[in-house]
Amino acid sequence: MIPATFAYHRARSLDDALAKMAAAGAGGRFLAGGHSLVPLMKLRLSEPGTLIDISRVAELSGIREKDGRIEIGAATVHHAVATSPVLNDRCPAVAEAARTIGDAQVRNRGTIGGGLAEADPCGDYGAVILALNAQLKCLSPRGERMIPAAEFFSFAYTTALARDEILTEVIIPALAKHSAGVYLKLERVAGDFAIASAAVQLSLDDGGSCAEVGIGVTGGHAVPTKGVAVEDLLRRKKITPELVAAAGQLIQADAEPIEDMRGAAQYKKKVLGAILRRAIAEAMRRAEAKPSS
Ligand code: FAD
């Protein structure tokens, strides 16, 4: 299919992108890797009048560690996220999520910011930013603001971003030294969107109990969700096999999955419980393997 006619402008900087969006008015849309937006345009499900290409805005790219927190520029491509030494070392759940996305072409063009702004119910980064309590830095003509991950997704394909607002950075707060994380995903075939996925980030205290924990899942609802009840269940307890089983049951009981080509609701509930149990067990294994200081 051929998209409807549109104008194309490449932004040279963040200020230039905002100015071009203001000039474009209601028909303006930011373009990053184009791996979600262009297919929608070809199907005429999206018909922006003007595309403002932000993929080469230098301020939007790169992964930096500052005072223990990690800042990921929104236009950083999935491949750079997947292979980042700092992410693989300090925060592997993010890199693991990026590695499961699509194929090599998608990972070399698609961006973390585009993936989050698209808010596909089965997208991979949602669970991870919720487990890590990430902050999303955004910029618009009205100024800069931070959106906590838990407030970012409003509904399927809908976020808290205003039309003229750019997501500039994903900020992962400093993690405890012994904190360990994991991202696990069940997919129909390699490179597909998730049927269900779970991200778990946890740290243990000196006695081996769970000191802090973050849980994010996809597949349970129309949006990725933070497993607040599961976090409360695990916090300050010894994580026994019985507790892990109870966590799986809790996430299943809360789930109201969308029925689609990836499975019936009952099936998705079951695999969501199973993938969360496995993710908690793996995060525990990684936390226990960390050298004590
Ligand atoms: P674009 O397509 O350019 O933009 C998407 C939307 O986000 C647009 O509305 C755009 O205006 C907006 N946007 C982009 N960047 C910003 C920003 N910085 N601020 C504000 N708004 C912005 N994703 C997964 O998570 N898991 C998968 O397994 C997966 N498999 C895929 C398989 C294929 C074959 C394809 C084509 C895509 C797949 N994707 C998957 C989607 C992929 O991750 C896309 O890269 C991503 O969803 C969109 O990122 P993009 O940079 O291409 O954004």
Side-chain angles (χ1 to χ4, degrees), residues 56-70:
R56 297 195 198 176
V57 173
E59 300 139 278
L60 286 176
S61 260
I63 300 164
R64 302 161 286 272
E65 196 174 10
K66 263 193 206 158
D67 305 326
R69 66 173 196 270
I70 302 170

Side-chain angles (χ1 to χ4, degrees), residues 21 28-40 46 51-52 54-55 60 73-78 97-98 100-103 106-107 109-120 122-126 137-139 152 159 161-169 183 185 187 189-194 262:
M21 178 56 87
R29 279 294 275 283
F30 295 117
L31 175 76
H35 270 66
S36 291
L37 184 52
V38 172
L40 288 176
S46 179
L51 290 184
I52 295 131
I54 54 171
S55 64
L60 286 176
T76 307
V77 297
H78 307 313
T100 71
I101 294 177
D103 50 29
V106 176
R107 289 193 293 275
R109 291 292 302 172
T111 65
I112 185 167
L116 288 167
E118 182 64 15
D120 188 298
C122 307
D124 284 291
Y125 290 119
K137 196 197 261 189
C138 308
L139 185 68
F152 187 70
T159 70
L161 284 172
R163 185 196 55 79
D164 60 351
E165 197 167 29
I166 305 183
L167 170 59
T168 58
E169 269 179 8
Y183 178 72
K185 165 181 181 180
E187 52 199 340
V189 291
D192 192 16
F193 282 88
R262 292 191 178 83

